[in-house]
Amino acid sequence: MQGSIARVCMVVAAAILNHPLLFPQENTTLPDQDEELMARMREHEERLQMEQAKLEKELSQLDSKQEETRSEEGYSWYFWSAVSFVIFFTIEMCRVDSADIERHRQQPVDDEDIFSESGSVSPNTMVLDKDILSNFCDKCTYTSAHENWRVKEFVEGFTDDLLESLRSVCDREADMEVGDFVGIGSMFESWKVCKPLMCDLIVPFSPPDPFSFQFNLWCSPSSDIPPDMQGCGVIKVNRFGENEGGCLCGSANLGEDMLCLLHSRNDALVVDRSPDELLCSKNTPYLAKDQVMKWFQISVTKAWGLISHKYDFEVTFRNLDAAGALKIRFRSGKVIVMNIIPVVQLEDTDAYFVSHFPSDCGSSPDPYWPLSFAVYERNLLKHFAKRLPQNSCHLHCLQVVTFLHRKQTGLTGKSALTNYHLKTALLHLLLSKRPSAWAIESVERRLRDVLSFMQRSLQEKRLHHILVGNNKVPHELQVPEIIREAEPINLFRSLVLQRDLYAATVRHFQEMLRNSTVLIQEYTPLLSNGGIHHSLDESL
């Protein structure tokens, strides 16, 4: 066989070398006297034809012999081909795995590069003058004590009047039932420092009879909520009688002679309602945030129209996409911002499903409702206030870092960092440090601790929610057991998934640390030598 292959190669080479087009010909006509050359070429051609015929004969004999062993060799060929494929595939997989491992090994280095590129600044190296910091905190305390209480008193009275008017324009038998508001956020936690003065209030609502809400949390054992919707839940609108524990009068035909002692005959007239009337997503029994916000905004507009003649100020909607985002402007030019947020109370707890968060640029899609623990967080701060030294510095620290964050945002734009992240960092430190460490004379050290904690959280891209999955939370707060035992929620999850956002947030925080000394000095009302800088009230 080897000899046949060699002869085939020789014939092919000879044919190529003797092809007339292989070499360029300057003269295409042969002289008549070259008859001897033509004779030699004809002889050579005849020899090639004879050799070709001989080769074809040998190849035909070889093919007949190979037919007998082709089946055995075929199995062998398939076997070795499969083995070769497996070896090649294994080598490729090992190469990909090694590349992934190498990439993961380089990831921390890349994150460290982000800190080094932004000029990493340590909070421990910040220069903070104790007198200037003390003056700044005193001014913040004075502003909070002498102005915020008047704002809260006005907001509470105005909201009561507005909600009462809202209830009057709603159909008590068909519309959602509106409850009393609850004040949350910095204004009601006594650490609000920046202007305009903003008040966040949540307003619970419930469905009309004979309907009720059924809840399914992300941490429920039978939950099918996607992993990227941690901290959310769905709200199903049920009718009494659809569950085993409900009344059957709405779903069963009891006849004319039977009377339900819980519901009158008139209740049957309002049983059948469309999903739109119940503010549900299209063709589903789940409550929709968009439908709720549309209903609430229309209701608030009607309610204000009934009582506007009683007040001598202007009320406008700041954001048409956020129901209850109001802006009150007095004739004097003073402005108060209100966020009245419709919420659904989680059973008999202090946790609420909120239609939107005021600080969020984007919200979760329907039908997923984020769960707010703002009332528990407010109660946690009250719990600490009872155990900390008199005139403790924990709220001063929060006021300073939120002030720095707001000023830096004005310089370099928004980032993923929010006041809620800063408050969460403070709450973690309050749980970990002894109460005596928060005396007023320790404000400088505790401020560095808060900034250091936030810097470590950014480096690790991990900041856990203060209540979810945290066994250190005092039992007096009565956090639901299902929330206490849930897996912790990482508030910096978006930084893990979005590298550009992470880099921008790190740069924002590093610049904030770098400018902190200048900002505090510039906006402190009185210096130690008696000089006057910008008024804190005007700058905030």
Side-chain angles (χ1 to χ4, degrees):
M1 180 177 179
Q2 289 82 356
S4 300
I5 296 176
R7 282 194 291 272
V8 170
C9 294
M10 182 188 68
V11 171
V12 173
I16 293 174
L17 291 174
N18 287 280
H19 198 278
L21 297 178
L22 181 63
F23 301 102
Q25 299 177 2
E26 296 179 359
N27 191 2
T28 57
T29 60
L30 293 175
D32 297 337
Q33 63 268 25
D34 288 343
E35 294 180 359
E36 182 179 357
L37 177 61
M38 296 294 295
R40 288 200 301 271
M41 291 180 65
R42 283 194 292 272
E43 292 177 0
H44 183 66
E45 183 179 358
E46 292 175 357
R47 286 197 301 271
L48 288 176
Q49 291 176 352
M50 292 174 60
E51 191 70 27
Q52 182 179 0
K54 184 177 179 181
L55 180 61
E56 290 177 354
K57 183 178 180 181
E58 291 182 357
L59 289 175
S60 62
Q61 294 176 356
L62 182 62
D63 290 340
S64 61
K65 293 180 180 180
Q66 288 180 343
E67 285 293 337
E68 301 175 358
T69 59
R70 181 170 298 175
S71 59
E72 297 180 0
E73 292 180 354
Y75 289 120
S76 177
W77 184 85
Y78 284 122
F79 172 76
W80 288 110
S81 297
V83 172
S84 301
F85 175 77
V86 171
I87 294 175
F88 175 77
F89 182 76
T90 303
I91 293 174
E92 284 295 312
M93 291 301 295
C94 292
R95 184 176 65 83
V96 172
D97 291 342
S98 62
D100 290 341
I101 293 174
E102 184 65 22
R103 183 169 63 252
H104 286 301
R105 287 178 178 176
Q106 292 177 355
Q107 186 70 28
V109 178
D110 295 340
D111 294 342
E112 292 178 3
D113 290 342
I114 292 177
F115 271 87
S116 61
E117 289 174 2
S118 59
S120 180
V121 179
S122 173
N124 294 326
T125 60
M126 293 168 49
V127 179
L128 295 174
D129 186 274
K130 291 185 178 181
D131 294 333
I132 294 178
L133 189 60
S134 177
N135 288 336
F136 184 93
C137 294
D138 290 342
K139 184 61 178 179
C140 289
T141 304
Y142 178 82
T143 303
S144 299
H146 290 77
E147 183 177 6
N148 290 359
W149 72 270
R150 292 182 295 162
V151 173
K152 287 191 292 185
E153 185 178 11
F154 163 78
V155 167
E156 290 172 352
F158 172 73
T159 305
D160 276 333
D161 197 9
L162 184 65
L163 292 181
E164 189 60 35
S165 176
L166 188 149
R167 295 184 187 99
S168 67
V169 300
C170 292
D171 187 347
R172 295 183 181 273
E173 295 183 355
D175 288 334
M176 297 288 178
E177 299 178 5
V178 179
D180 296 329
F181 73 90
V182 179
I184 60 173
S186 59
M187 182 66 73
F188 293 89
E189 293 171 350
S190 302
W191 57 270
K192 179 67 178 178
V193 65
C194 296
K195 291 185 178 180
L197 297 174
M198 181 178 294
C199 298
D200 297 330
L201 306 105
I202 55 177
V203 179
F205 66 93
S206 57
D209 290 335
F211 295 93
S212 64
F213 289 144
Q214 180 181 350
F215 310 103
N216 186 21
L217 299 176
W218 84 99
C219 53
S220 300
S222 59
S223 175
D224 56 353
I225 295 177
D228 59 339
M229 291 296 159
Q230 283 188 333
C232 296
V234 294
I235 305 172
K236 184 178 181 180
V237 181
N238 286 333
R239 187 179 64 181
F240 288 114
E242 290 181 344
N243 296 328
E244 294 181 358
C247 183
L248 298 177
C249 68
S251 60
N253 185 10
L254 301 180
E256 296 182 358
D257 298 334
M258 301 294 292
L259 177 65
C260 178
L261 298 179
L262 297 177
H263 304 96
S264 65
R265 294 185 183 274
N266 295 331
D267 292 337
L269 300 176
V270 297
V271 169
D272 293 328
R273 297 237 180 90
S274 65
D276 289 341
E277 292 177 313
L278 296 173
L279 308 181
C280 294
S281 299
K282 187 176 182 180
N283 299 325
T284 71
Y286 295 106
L287 197 67
K289 299 193 301 295
D290 291 342
Q291 295 279 7
V292 169
M293 288 192 289
K294 183 187 300 184
W295 159 77
F296 192 73
Q297 190 167 32
I298 293 174
S299 301
V300 169
T301 303
K302 293 179 180 179
W304 169 243
L306 293 179
I307 63 174
S308 59
H309 64 279
K310 298 167 51 178
Y311 295 96
D312 190 20
F313 51 74
E314 178 186 357
V315 175
T316 56
F317 284 95
R318 295 183 296 111
N319 185 359
L320 295 180
D321 294 329
L326 305 179
K327 182 178 181 179
I328 300 175
R329 182 181 295 276
F330 296 88
R331 288 191 174 184
S332 62
K334 184 175 181 179
V335 173
I336 296 178
V337 176
M338 296 176 58
N339 291 306
I340 306 178
I341 308 168
V343 299
V344 176
Q345 186 176 10
L346 175 61
E347 298 175 349
D348 57 348
T349 69
D350 286 329
Y352 295 87
F353 292 98
V354 298
S355 56
H356 67 281
F357 287 113
S359 59
D360 278 1
C361 298
S363 59
S364 57
D366 277 327
Y368 303 108
W369 288 67
L371 192 61
S372 171
F373 302 95
V375 177
Y376 285 109
E377 293 165 6
R378 185 194 64 187
N379 294 339
L380 182 59
L381 285 173
K382 291 182 178 179
H383 170 85
F384 287 126
K386 297 176 182 178
R387 289 158 177 78
L388 295 178
Q390 190 175 7
N391 298 325
S392 59
C393 66
H394 65 295
L395 293 182
H396 292 316
C397 294
L398 188 54
Q399 288 171 330
V400 172
V401 294
T402 53
F403 166 80
L404 295 175
H405 169 57
R406 183 176 185 273
K407 287 301 176 182
Q408 188 60 45
T409 300
L411 295 174
T412 58
K414 291 185 177 181
S415 66
L417 195 64
T418 65
N419 287 344
Y420 186 73
H421 295 142
L422 300 173
K423 186 179 79 168
T424 301
L426 174 71
L427 291 174
H428 279 291
L429 289 175
L430 286 170
L431 286 176
S432 61
K433 290 186 176 295
R434 63 184 186 276
S436 59
W438 296 94
I440 187 62
E441 57 269 14
S442 303
V443 60
E444 179 189 357
R445 293 192 295 272
R446 299 294 81 81
L447 178 60
R448 296 183 193 274
D449 290 340
V450 173
L451 294 173
S452 298
F453 185 92
M454 183 55 62
Q455 187 176 54
R456 289 194 304 271
S457 299
L458 283 173
Q459 288 176 334
E460 299 172 0
K461 299 180 183 179
R462 183 174 66 252
L463 178 63
H464 286 157
H465 193 282
I466 189 61
L467 297 175
V468 180
N470 191 353
N471 293 324
K472 295 181 180 179
V473 176
H475 289 276
E476 300 91 276
L477 266 66
Q478 299 181 352
V479 177
E481 197 68 21
I482 190 173
I483 302 300
R484 186 186 295 271
E485 296 180 355
E487 289 293 325
I489 295 179
N490 183 12
L491 301 181
F492 280 165
R493 185 175 186 272
S494 60
L495 302 184
V496 178
L497 303 176
Q498 304 178 46
R499 182 169 177 78
D500 292 340
L501 181 63
Y502 174 67
T505 303
V506 169
R507 286 193 296 269
H508 170 90
F509 184 76
Q510 293 297 326
E511 285 296 320
M512 186 182 78
L513 294 181
R514 189 176 292 108
N515 298 331
S516 59
T517 303
V518 176
L519 289 173
I520 292 176
Q521 290 179 350
E522 182 178 0
Y523 291 102
T524 299
L526 297 175
L527 297 179
S528 57
N529 60 2
I532 300 178
H533 274 206
H534 295 283
S535 170
L536 187 63
D537 288 338
E538 296 176 357
S539 65
L540 295 177

